[in-house]
PDB file of all heavy atoms in Angstrom:
ATOM      1  N   ALA V   1      74.590  64.352 -61.653  1.00  0.00           N
ATOM      2  CA  ALA V   1      74.112  65.765 -61.422  1.00  0.00           C
ATOM      3  C   ALA V   1      72.669  65.746 -61.059  1.00  0.00           C
ATOM      4  O   ALA V   1      72.189  66.520 -60.083  1.00  0.00           O
ATOM      5  CB  ALA V   1      74.348  66.630 -62.730  1.00  0.00           C
ATOM      6  N   ILE V   2      71.880  64.930 -61.633  1.00  0.00           N
ATOM      7  CA  ILE V   2      70.424  64.844 -61.314  1.00  0.00           C
ATOM      8  C   ILE V   2      70.178  64.293 -59.965  1.00  0.00           C
ATOM      9  O   ILE V   2      69.449  64.738 -59.220  1.00  0.00           O
ATOM     10  CB  ILE V   2      69.767  63.920 -62.396  1.00  0.00           C
ATOM     11  CG1 ILE V   2      69.748  64.600 -63.721  1.00  0.00           C
ATOM     12  CG2 ILE V   2      68.219  63.657 -61.957  1.00  0.00           C
ATOM     13  CD1 ILE V   2      69.120  63.670 -64.974  1.00  0.00           C
ATOM     14  N   CYS V   3      71.006  63.228 -59.659  1.00  0.00           N
ATOM     15  CA  CYS V   3      70.967  62.738 -58.260  1.00  0.00           C
ATOM     16  C   CYS V   3      71.270  63.768 -57.181  1.00  0.00           C
ATOM     17  O   CYS V   3      70.547  63.846 -56.151  1.00  0.00           O
ATOM     18  CB  CYS V   3      71.864  61.533 -58.164  1.00  0.00           C
ATOM     19  SG  CYS V   3      71.445  60.009 -59.063  1.00  0.00           S
ATOM     20  N   ILE V   4      72.304  64.443 -57.437  1.00  0.00           N
ATOM     21  CA  ILE V   4      72.673  65.573 -56.493  1.00  0.00           C
ATOM     22  C   ILE V   4      71.572  66.677 -56.275  1.00  0.00           C
ATOM     23  O   ILE V   4      71.284  67.070 -55.237  1.00  0.00           O
ATOM     24  CB  ILE V   4      74.084  66.194 -56.914  1.00  0.00           C
ATOM     25  CG1 ILE V   4      75.181  65.141 -56.753  1.00  0.00           C
ATOM     26  CG2 ILE V   4      74.338  67.414 -56.017  1.00  0.00           C
ATOM     27  CD1 ILE V   4      76.553  65.586 -57.287  1.00  0.00           C
ATOM     28  N   ALA V   5      71.133  66.953 -57.551  1.00  0.00           N
ATOM     29  CA  ALA V   5      70.064  68.003 -57.443  1.00  0.00           C
ATOM     30  C   ALA V   5      68.851  67.503 -56.675  1.00  0.00           C
ATOM     31  O   ALA V   5      68.202  68.274 -55.927  1.00  0.00           O
ATOM     32  CB  ALA V   5      69.553  68.260 -58.953  1.00  0.00           C
ATOM     33  N   LYS V   6      68.452  66.322 -56.743  1.00  0.00           N
ATOM     34  CA  LYS V   6      67.342  65.826 -56.084  1.00  0.00           C
ATOM     35  C   LYS V   6      67.623  65.676 -54.592  1.00  0.00           C
ATOM     36  O   LYS V   6      66.795  66.069 -53.699  1.00  0.00           O
ATOM     37  CB  LYS V   6      66.960  64.297 -56.581  1.00  0.00           C
ATOM     38  CG  LYS V   6      66.369  64.373 -57.969  1.00  0.00           C
ATOM     39  CD  LYS V   6      65.952  63.027 -58.459  1.00  0.00           C
ATOM     40  CE  LYS V   6      65.313  63.069 -59.800  1.00  0.00           C
ATOM     41  NZ  LYS V   6      65.065  61.663 -60.370  1.00  0.00           N
ATOM     42  N   ASP V   7      68.887  65.281 -54.169  1.00  0.00           N
ATOM     43  CA  ASP V   7      69.254  65.243 -52.889  1.00  0.00           C
ATOM     44  C   ASP V   7      69.280  66.714 -52.138  1.00  0.00           C
ATOM     45  O   ASP V   7      68.964  66.791 -50.956  1.00  0.00           O
ATOM     46  CB  ASP V   7      70.616  64.577 -52.623  1.00  0.00           C
ATOM     47  CG  ASP V   7      70.598  63.174 -52.922  1.00  0.00           C
ATOM     48  OD1 ASP V   7      69.514  62.569 -52.969  1.00  0.00           O
ATOM     49  OD2 ASP V   7      71.731  62.602 -53.228  1.00  0.00           O
ATOM     50  N   MET V   8      69.578  67.774 -52.985  1.00  0.00           N
ATOM     51  CA  MET V   8      69.685  69.078 -52.365  1.00  0.00           C
ATOM     52  C   MET V   8      68.402  69.736 -52.540  1.00  0.00           C
ATOM     53  O   MET V   8      68.265  70.912 -51.964  1.00  0.00           O
ATOM     54  CB  MET V   8      70.808  69.867 -53.194  1.00  0.00           C
ATOM     55  CG  MET V   8      72.225  69.234 -53.052  1.00  0.00           C
ATOM     56  SD  MET V   8      73.418  70.154 -54.098  1.00  0.00           S
ATOM     57  CE  MET V   8      73.243  71.887 -53.342  1.00  0.00           C
ATOM     58  N   GLY V   9      67.452  69.256 -53.210  1.00  0.00           N
ATOM     59  CA  GLY V   9      66.091  69.853 -53.402  1.00  0.00           C
ATOM     60  C   GLY V   9      66.201  71.116 -54.344  1.00  0.00           C
ATOM     61  O   GLY V   9      65.395  71.874 -54.259  1.00  0.00           O
ATOM     62  N   VAL V  10      67.183  70.975 -55.297  1.00  0.00           N
ATOM     63  CA  VAL V  10      67.405  72.051 -56.198  1.00  0.00           C
ATOM     64  C   VAL V  10      66.800  71.589 -57.553  1.00  0.00           C
ATOM     65  O   VAL V  10      66.856  70.486 -57.978  1.00  0.00           O
ATOM     66  CB  VAL V  10      68.907  72.406 -56.405  1.00  0.00           C
ATOM     67  CG1 VAL V  10      69.127  73.503 -57.337  1.00  0.00           C
ATOM     68  CG2 VAL V  10      69.525  72.806 -55.066  1.00  0.00           C
ATOM     69  N   SER V  11      66.238  72.552 -58.325  1.00  0.00           N
ATOM     70  CA  SER V  11      65.604  72.278 -59.584  1.00  0.00           C
ATOM     71  C   SER V  11      66.665  71.837 -60.708  1.00  0.00           C
ATOM     72  O   SER V  11      67.790  72.186 -60.586  1.00  0.00           O
ATOM     73  CB  SER V  11      64.743  73.333 -60.071  1.00  0.00           C
ATOM     74  OG  SER V  11      65.564  74.421 -60.491  1.00  0.00           O
ATOM     75  N   GLU V  12      66.095  70.964 -61.568  1.00  0.00           N
ATOM     76  CA  GLU V  12      67.122  70.647 -62.712  1.00  0.00           C
ATOM     77  C   GLU V  12      67.683  71.864 -63.503  1.00  0.00           C
ATOM     78  O   GLU V  12      68.767  71.997 -63.862  1.00  0.00           O
ATOM     79  CB  GLU V  12      66.332  69.666 -63.606  1.00  0.00           C
ATOM     80  CG  GLU V  12      66.043  68.353 -63.132  1.00  0.00           C
ATOM     81  CD  GLU V  12      65.022  67.564 -64.025  1.00  0.00           C
ATOM     82  OE1 GLU V  12      64.632  68.080 -65.031  1.00  0.00           O
ATOM     83  OE2 GLU V  12      64.810  66.351 -63.712  1.00  0.00           O
ATOM     84  N   PHE V  13      66.731  72.851 -63.662  1.00  0.00           N
ATOM     85  CA  PHE V  13      67.071  74.008 -64.411  1.00  0.00           C
ATOM     86  C   PHE V  13      68.295  74.722 -63.682  1.00  0.00           C
ATOM     87  O   PHE V  13      69.207  75.242 -64.317  1.00  0.00           O
ATOM     88  CB  PHE V  13      65.978  75.007 -64.564  1.00  0.00           C
ATOM     89  CG  PHE V  13      66.236  76.227 -65.364  1.00  0.00           C
ATOM     90  CD1 PHE V  13      66.400  76.178 -66.687  1.00  0.00           C
ATOM     91  CD2 PHE V  13      66.390  77.439 -64.749  1.00  0.00           C
ATOM     92  CE1 PHE V  13      66.684  77.292 -67.547  1.00  0.00           C
ATOM     93  CE2 PHE V  13      66.613  78.598 -65.476  1.00  0.00           C
ATOM     94  CZ  PHE V  13      66.739  78.494 -66.931  1.00  0.00           C
ATOM     95  N   VAL V  14      68.137  74.981 -62.368  1.00  0.00           N
ATOM     96  CA  VAL V  14      69.164  75.698 -61.613  1.00  0.00           C
ATOM     97  C   VAL V  14      70.543  74.819 -61.712  1.00  0.00           C
ATOM     98  O   VAL V  14      71.690  75.386 -61.805  1.00  0.00           O
ATOM     99  CB  VAL V  14      68.773  75.792 -60.154  1.00  0.00           C
ATOM    100  CG1 VAL V  14      69.955  76.407 -59.317  1.00  0.00           C
ATOM    101  CG2 VAL V  14      67.676  76.890 -60.147  1.00  0.00           C
ATOM    102  N   ILE V  15      70.498  73.543 -61.554  1.00  0.00           N
ATOM    103  CA  ILE V  15      71.610  72.739 -61.733  1.00  0.00           C
ATOM    104  C   ILE V  15      72.285  72.863 -63.067  1.00  0.00           C
ATOM    105  O   ILE V  15      73.459  72.932 -63.123  1.00  0.00           O
ATOM    106  CB  ILE V  15      71.253  71.162 -61.291  1.00  0.00           C
ATOM    107  CG1 ILE V  15      71.026  71.058 -59.878  1.00  0.00           C
ATOM    108  CG2 ILE V  15      72.496  70.376 -61.688  1.00  0.00           C
ATOM    109  CD1 ILE V  15      72.207  71.183 -58.959  1.00  0.00           C
ATOM    110  N   GLY V  16      71.288  72.986 -64.039  1.00  0.00           N
ATOM    111  CA  GLY V  16      71.930  73.038 -65.462  1.00  0.00           C
ATOM    112  C   GLY V  16      72.586  74.336 -65.691  1.00  0.00           C
ATOM    113  O   GLY V  16      73.644  74.349 -66.303  1.00  0.00           O
ATOM    114  N   ILE V  17      72.066  75.459 -65.160  1.00  0.00           N
ATOM    115  CA  ILE V  17      72.732  76.756 -65.415  1.00  0.00           C
ATOM    116  C   ILE V  17      73.802  77.117 -64.531  1.00  0.00           C
ATOM    117  O   ILE V  17      74.688  77.925 -64.795  1.00  0.00           O
ATOM    118  CB  ILE V  17      71.655  77.928 -65.354  1.00  0.00           C
ATOM    119  CG1 ILE V  17      71.115  77.966 -63.843  1.00  0.00           C
ATOM    120  CG2 ILE V  17      70.534  77.835 -66.246  1.00  0.00           C
ATOM    121  CD1 ILE V  17      70.152  79.114 -63.615  1.00  0.00           C
ATOM    122  N   THR V  18      74.139  76.185 -63.531  1.00  0.00           N
ATOM    123  CA  THR V  18      75.292  76.418 -62.629  1.00  0.00           C
ATOM    124  C   THR V  18      76.352  75.325 -62.727  1.00  0.00           C
ATOM    125  O   THR V  18      77.316  75.450 -63.400  1.00  0.00           O
ATOM    126  CB  THR V  18      74.761  76.598 -61.186  1.00  0.00           C
ATOM    127  OG1 THR V  18      73.898  75.437 -60.793  1.00  0.00           O
ATOM    128  CG2 THR V  18      73.779  77.864 -60.951  1.00  0.00           C
ATOM    129  N   ILE V  19      76.066  74.190 -61.965  1.00  0.00           N
ATOM    130  CA  ILE V  19      77.131  73.188 -61.855  1.00  0.00           C
ATOM    131  C   ILE V  19      77.434  72.500 -63.264  1.00  0.00           C
ATOM    132  O   ILE V  19      78.560  72.383 -63.642  1.00  0.00           O
ATOM    133  CB  ILE V  19      76.626  72.031 -60.934  1.00  0.00           C
ATOM    134  CG1 ILE V  19      76.427  72.611 -59.543  1.00  0.00           C
ATOM    135  CG2 ILE V  19      77.617  70.935 -60.924  1.00  0.00           C
ATOM    136  CD1 ILE V  19      75.814  71.734 -58.424  1.00  0.00           C
ATOM    137  N   VAL V  20      76.244  72.093 -63.937  1.00  0.00           N
ATOM    138  CA  VAL V  20      76.584  71.498 -65.199  1.00  0.00           C
ATOM    139  C   VAL V  20      77.201  72.366 -66.291  1.00  0.00           C
ATOM    140  O   VAL V  20      77.969  72.101 -67.026  1.00  0.00           O
ATOM    141  CB  VAL V  20      75.190  70.941 -65.838  1.00  0.00           C
ATOM    142  CG1 VAL V  20      75.417  70.253 -67.241  1.00  0.00           C
ATOM    143  CG2 VAL V  20      74.666  69.808 -64.863  1.00  0.00           C
ATOM    144  N   ALA V  21      76.595  73.624 -66.279  1.00  0.00           N
ATOM    145  CA  ALA V  21      77.099  74.608 -67.221  1.00  0.00           C
ATOM    146  C   ALA V  21      78.670  75.025 -67.005  1.00  0.00           C
ATOM    147  O   ALA V  21      79.373  75.110 -67.886  1.00  0.00           O
ATOM    148  CB  ALA V  21      76.326  75.942 -67.190  1.00  0.00           C
ATOM    149  N   PHE V  22      78.984  75.047 -65.686  1.00  0.00           N
ATOM    150  CA  PHE V  22      80.350  75.274 -65.343  1.00  0.00           C
ATOM    151  C   PHE V  22      81.226  74.029 -65.824  1.00  0.00           C
ATOM    152  O   PHE V  22      82.293  74.267 -66.467  1.00  0.00           O
ATOM    153  CB  PHE V  22      80.535  75.366 -63.772  1.00  0.00           C
ATOM    154  CG  PHE V  22      81.897  75.447 -63.316  1.00  0.00           C
ATOM    155  CD1 PHE V  22      82.683  76.646 -63.547  1.00  0.00           C
ATOM    156  CD2 PHE V  22      82.610  74.370 -62.844  1.00  0.00           C
ATOM    157  CE1 PHE V  22      84.037  76.687 -63.056  1.00  0.00           C
ATOM    158  CE2 PHE V  22      83.824  74.362 -62.426  1.00  0.00           C
ATOM    159  CZ  PHE V  22      84.627  75.611 -62.484  1.00  0.00           C
ATOM    160  N   GLY V  23      80.798  72.880 -65.621  1.00  0.00           N
ATOM    161  CA  GLY V  23      81.551  71.597 -65.988  1.00  0.00           C
ATOM    162  C   GLY V  23      81.718  71.598 -67.481  1.00  0.00           C
ATOM    163  O   GLY V  23      82.879  71.377 -67.993  1.00  0.00           O
ATOM    164  N   THR V  24      80.718  71.953 -68.270  1.00  0.00           N
ATOM    165  CA  THR V  24      80.789  71.757 -69.702  1.00  0.00           C
ATOM    166  C   THR V  24      81.495  73.057 -70.335  1.00  0.00           C
ATOM    167  O   THR V  24      81.878  72.931 -71.541  1.00  0.00           O
ATOM    168  CB  THR V  24      79.398  71.623 -70.338  1.00  0.00           C
ATOM    169  OG1 THR V  24      78.528  72.615 -70.040  1.00  0.00           O
ATOM    170  CG2 THR V  24      78.805  70.257 -69.852  1.00  0.00           C
ATOM    171  N   SER V  25      81.641  74.093 -69.561  1.00  0.00           N
ATOM    172  CA  SER V  25      82.444  75.196 -70.065  1.00  0.00           C
ATOM    173  C   SER V  25      83.872  75.134 -69.794  1.00  0.00           C
ATOM    174  O   SER V  25      84.667  76.009 -70.402  1.00  0.00           O
ATOM    175  CB  SER V  25      81.826  76.537 -69.442  1.00  0.00           C
ATOM    176  OG  SER V  25      80.535  76.785 -69.915  1.00  0.00           O
ATOM    177  N   LEU V  26      84.301  74.111 -69.118  1.00  0.00           N
ATOM    178  CA  LEU V  26      85.771  74.010 -68.832  1.00  0.00           C
ATOM    179  C   LEU V  26      86.709  73.804 -70.099  1.00  0.00           C
ATOM    180  O   LEU V  26      87.691  74.385 -70.138  1.00  0.00           O
ATOM    181  CB  LEU V  26      86.095  72.867 -67.835  1.00  0.00           C
ATOM    182  CG  LEU V  26      85.611  73.163 -66.417  1.00  0.00           C
ATOM    183  CD1 LEU V  26      85.878  72.020 -65.602  1.00  0.00           C
ATOM    184  CD2 LEU V  26      86.354  74.414 -65.991  1.00  0.00           C
ATOM    185  N   PRO V  27      86.207  73.062 -71.104  1.00  0.00           N
ATOM    186  CA  PRO V  27      87.002  72.939 -72.331  1.00  0.00           C
ATOM    187  C   PRO V  27      87.187  74.251 -73.051  1.00  0.00           C
ATOM    188  O   PRO V  27      88.332  74.591 -73.424  1.00  0.00           O
ATOM    189  CB  PRO V  27      86.157  72.018 -73.208  1.00  0.00           C
ATOM    190  CG  PRO V  27      85.408  71.118 -72.206  1.00  0.00           C
ATOM    191  CD  PRO V  27      84.988  72.137 -71.074  1.00  0.00           C
ATOM    192  N   GLU V  28      86.217  75.196 -72.913  1.00  0.00           N
ATOM    193  CA  GLU V  28      86.316  76.516 -73.540  1.00  0.00           C
ATOM    194  C   GLU V  28      87.431  77.333 -72.736  1.00  0.00           C
ATOM    195  O   GLU V  28      88.055  78.080 -73.194  1.00  0.00           O
ATOM    196  CB  GLU V  28      84.931  77.309 -73.449  1.00  0.00           C
ATOM    197  CG  GLU V  28      83.973  76.808 -74.585  1.00  0.00           C
ATOM    198  CD  GLU V  28      83.133  75.651 -74.195  1.00  0.00           C
ATOM    199  OE1 GLU V  28      83.327  75.026 -73.241  1.00  0.00           O
ATOM    200  OE2 GLU V  28      82.176  75.488 -75.019  1.00  0.00           O
ATOM    201  N   LEU V  29      87.254  77.058 -71.313  1.00  0.00           N
ATOM    202  CA  LEU V  29      88.168  77.974 -70.509  1.00  0.00           C
ATOM    203  C   LEU V  29      89.556  77.551 -70.757  1.00  0.00           C
ATOM    204  O   LEU V  29      90.423  78.331 -70.932  1.00  0.00           O
ATOM    205  CB  LEU V  29      87.740  77.562 -68.975  1.00  0.00           C
ATOM    206  CG  LEU V  29      88.703  78.303 -67.944  1.00  0.00           C
ATOM    207  CD1 LEU V  29      88.578  79.771 -68.064  1.00  0.00           C
ATOM    208  CD2 LEU V  29      88.302  77.765 -66.495  1.00  0.00           C
ATOM    209  N   VAL V  30      89.857  76.175 -70.722  1.00  0.00           N
ATOM    210  CA  VAL V  30      91.306  75.709 -71.069  1.00  0.00           C
ATOM    211  C   VAL V  30      91.763  76.152 -72.422  1.00  0.00           C
ATOM    212  O   VAL V  30      92.825  76.724 -72.600  1.00  0.00           O
ATOM    213  CB  VAL V  30      91.310  74.237 -71.008  1.00  0.00           C
ATOM    214  CG1 VAL V  30      92.757  73.702 -71.412  1.00  0.00           C
ATOM    215  CG2 VAL V  30      91.081  73.746 -69.505  1.00  0.00           C
TER     216      VAL V  30
END
């Protein structure tokens, strides 16, 4: 996730509240 964020020029915080947050919320969703 950090590698992708750096490649896209997106901050760690934004990656955290979007992509990473979505991924780690999947157990709750299921």
Side-chain angles (χ1 to χ4, degrees):
I2 293 173
C3 290
I4 294 172
K6 291 179 178 179
D7 289 342
M8 295 176 62
V10 179
S11 71
E12 292 171 351
F13 181 74
V14 171
I15 289 294
I17 61 177
T18 54
I19 297 174
V20 176
F22 172 78
T24 55
S25 289
L26 285 180
E28 283 90 344
L29 177 60
V30 173

